[in-house]
Amino acid sequence: MEKRVAIVGAGISGLLACKYVLQIGFNPIVFEADDGIGGVWRHTIETTKLQNPKETFQFSDFPWDSSLKEDCPSSQQLLDYLNSYAQHFSIIPNIRFNSKVIDIDYVVGGSNEEMKSWELWSGNSSPFGSKGTWHITVEDTKKLSTEVYKAEFVILCIGKYSGFPNIPEFPPGKGSEVFTGKVMHSMDYSALDNEVAAELIRNKRVAVVGSEKSALDIATECANANGVTHPCTIIQRTAHWILQDFNIGGINLGHLYLNRFAELLVHKPGESFLLSLVATLLSPLRWGISKYVETYLKLKFPLKKYGLVPNHSFLQDISSCQTAVLPEFFFEKVKEGSILIKKSQSFSFCKQGLIVNEEPKPLETDLVIFATGYKGDQKLRSIFKSSIFQNYINGSGDSTVPLY
C-alpha cells in the first residue's frame, strides 16, 4: 500500500506539519494557493506586529535570530523568520506554490459505510489503515488548469482567519447597495499593497466596523493618514479587553495565564473527576487573577471614559483568544479626535453613509471596512466534496465540543 501524504496550506502549521512528516521518512507534497509561505502573515496591513513577545512565539527547535531586538516583531520580520525556518529544514522543495485546493474527496470502492463509521484519527491507530484514497482537486492559479492528486493521508492546515469573510446581513434597502461609497472587508484591505492601501484611505472619511485586533489596527492606520481632518470612526457592538503589552503591573501575563498551571484553573469538557475538583477548588484564585488584570487595565487606560469596559471577565476573553494588543498611540489618537468610537447594537446603510443607533443624522462616510471576522466553519466545510464530511464539520447537537 502506498503511503502518500498531502498537506494543504504553507502557513505556520503547514510548515511545521511538513517538517515532521519529512523527519519520519515520508515525502509530503504541500499545496499552497499563494506564491510564498506564511499564510495570513503574507496579507497584513503595514503596521501589524506580532502580539506575543517573540520568545513565546517561536519554533522550539529554531529560535529567533539574536540580532533581532524588537520584543514584538513586524509582519515582515515574522515572514523572514518563517522563510529561514523553511530553508533550514529543506521544506521549500516539497511545496507547490500557486496551487489552490478546490475540493477534497474520499474515494473507496463500494458503500460509504467506512466513512460513516470513522472518528477523528487520534494518533493511536494506523494512519494508513483505510481502504480508500483521498482525491485532491488542485487549481493552478497561474494557468487556471486543474489536476487531481491522490494521497492516503491528508493534513489540513488552512486556518480559519482567511478565505470566507463574515459580512453582516441587512434588510432590503438598508444594505451596502444603497450606499454611494465603497465597502470592503478587512481581508481585502489587508491584501492590498501598502501603497495602494495608503492611497485608498487618504483624505477619506472611514468607518471601521468591529472591535478586535484588525479593527484597532486599521483605525490607527487611518488616523495616522488623515488626522483630525477626517477622523476614523470605529463602530463596535461588544467591547473586549485590550492590552498594551504582556506586562501587567510588573507581572508577565504568561505567568498568570499562558502556562500549564493556569490550565488547571479552567473546567474542560470531558475532564476527569480529579481535574474537575482541582478547577473547582482553585476557582477563587481564577477569579482573583482575572479581577487583578481587569483592575490594572481600567486604571491604565481610559476605558470607562470611552465606553470600552467589557461586560465580561478578562478570563473569558483570553480563554477565547479575544484579547488584543493595542497599536502604538491608540488612545492618543482617540484623545486628539482622529479616532472616534461609537457603541452600537445595530446600524444600516444609507446613501450618505451609515445610520447608527437609528440616529436621525447619518454618519457621513466614504469608505466602510468590515473587521468582522471570518466563517472558519464554512471554509473548512466547503473544502470537502462529500456531504458526509461536511456534516462532520457541522457537528451534532450532542457533541461535547464542536470543531468550530
Side-chain angles (χ1 to χ4, degrees):
M1 178 184 181
E2 291 191 74
K3 297 182 178 180
R4 296 165 292 189
V5 179
I7 300 171
V8 183
I12 294 176
S13 296
L15 297 178
L16 193 63
C18 183
K19 182 246 186 181
Y20 279 105
V21 171
L22 284 168
Q23 278 188 344
I24 59 178
F26 295 103
N27 188 34
I29 179 172
V30 182
F31 299 109
E32 170 53 50
D34 220 327
D35 58 3
I37 67 170
V40 295
W41 284 100
R42 290 181 57 81
H43 305 288
T44 64
I45 69 173
E46 187 175 11
T47 56
T48 298
K49 293 184 177 182
L50 192 64
Q51 293 202 91
N52 311 55
K54 61 180 183 290
E55 292 79 13
T56 66
F57 198 95
Q58 65 180 3
F59 298 106
S60 59
D61 51 1
F62 194 77
W64 289 85
D65 192 303
S66 58
S67 64
L68 184 65
K69 302 304 180 185
E70 291 87 344
D71 288 332
C72 296
S74 68
S75 56
Q76 185 55 56
Q77 289 170 322
L78 179 58
L79 282 176
D80 293 341
Y81 172 67
L82 296 179
N83 274 290
S84 298
Y85 177 85
Q87 295 289 347
H88 179 78
F89 290 105
S90 302
I91 295 171
I92 299 296
N94 291 79
I95 303 176
R96 295 205 176 186
F97 294 108
N98 303 305
S99 299
K100 182 179 180 180
V101 174
I102 303 300
D103 62 55
I104 300 173
D105 197 19
Y106 185 74
V107 178
V108 60
S111 69
N112 291 329
E113 292 304 314
E114 180 185 1
M115 286 189 285
K116 292 179 180 178
S117 66
W118 279 0
E119 293 181 357
L120 289 176
W121 182 67
S122 60
N124 55 10
S125 60
S126 173
F128 297 101
S130 57
K131 300 175 183 178
T133 305
W134 291 100
H135 287 206
I136 306 158
T137 304
V138 180
E139 178 188 54
D140 185 315
T141 58
K142 296 291 187 183
K143 300 177 182 177
L144 300 181
S145 58
T146 59
E147 186 175 352
V148 177
Y149 295 82
K150 297 180 181 180
E152 282 65 44
F153 197 85
V154 177
I155 305 174
L156 293 180
C157 301
I158 58 177
K160 62 178 292 187
Y161 297 114
S162 63
F164 281 77
N166 180 36
I167 305 292
E169 296 182 357
F170 299 90
K174 294 188 176 183
S176 59
E177 72 277 3
V178 302
F179 177 47
T180 56
K182 184 176 179 60
V183 180
M184 65 194 312
H185 191 270
S186 58
M187 178 184 75
D188 303 308
Y189 179 78
S190 300
L192 298 174
D193 290 336
N194 291 335
E195 295 79 7
V196 175
E199 183 60 32
L200 175 67
I201 63 175
R202 186 175 293 119
N203 296 323
K204 297 289 198 317
R205 298 166 298 180
V206 182
V208 180
V209 181
S211 57
E212 296 190 43
K213 181 60 176 172
S214 294
L216 302 179
D217 282 353
I218 293 172
T220 303
E221 192 162 281
C222 292
N224 289 335
N226 298 325
V228 297
T229 306
H230 299 294
C232 177
T233 302
I234 298 176
I235 299 174
Q236 64 170 219
R237 181 174 58 186
T238 305
H240 291 279
W241 292 101
I242 46 182
L243 306 165
Q244 185 173 28
D245 51 38
F246 276 61
N247 186 329
I248 305 297
I251 302 175
N252 190 307
L253 187 67
H255 297 157
L256 300 176
Y257 284 106
L258 310 178
N259 56 70
R260 296 191 178 188
F261 174 75
E263 290 298 308
L264 296 174
L265 304 178
V266 183
H267 286 285
K268 304 174 187 64
E271 65 188 0
S272 67
F273 171 77
L274 179 60
L275 288 177
S276 176
L277 178 62
V278 170
T280 301
L281 292 174
L282 292 176
S283 59
L285 178 60
R286 179 175 68 233
W287 178 87
I289 292 174
S290 185
K291 286 300 179 184
Y292 166 73
V293 176
E294 293 165 25
T295 301
Y296 173 81
L297 294 176
K298 285 189 284 188
L299 290 173
K300 186 173 182 64
F301 302 123
L303 302 182
K304 186 175 182 180
K305 179 179 179 180
Y306 297 110
L308 296 177
V309 179
N311 294 323
H312 52 269
S313 68
F314 181 82
L315 173 64
Q316 181 177 327
D317 262 358
I318 197 167
S319 298
S320 54
C321 300
Q322 291 188 310
T323 55
V325 174
L326 286 170
E328 288 185 319
F329 310 116
F330 176 81
F331 277 109
E332 286 82 351
K333 300 294 181 185
V334 175
K335 183 178 180 179
E336 74 179 12
S338 56
I339 293 178
L340 307 177
I341 300 173
K342 279 183 172 288
K343 293 290 292 292
S344 174
Q345 294 301 310
S346 64
F347 69 94
S348 59
F349 284 89
C350 64
K351 183 178 180 181
Q352 299 91 341
L354 299 173
I355 298 175
V356 182
N357 294 326
E358 299 184 357
E359 295 175 355
K361 183 179 179 181
L363 174 65
E364 296 185 358
T365 309
D366 301 307
L367 171 64
V368 176
I369 302 176
F370 287 119
T372 46
Y374 296 86
K375 297 179 179 179
D377 56 340
Q378 185 176 337
K379 179 181 182 181
L380 186 57
R381 189 166 54 245
S382 68
I383 203 170
F384 288 107
K385 194 171 184 179
S386 168
S387 59
I388 295 175
F389 290 105
Q390 292 175 3
N391 291 333
Y392 282 155
I393 305 306
N394 289 336
S396 61
D398 59 354
S399 295
T400 303
V401 180
L403 189 57
Y404 280 101

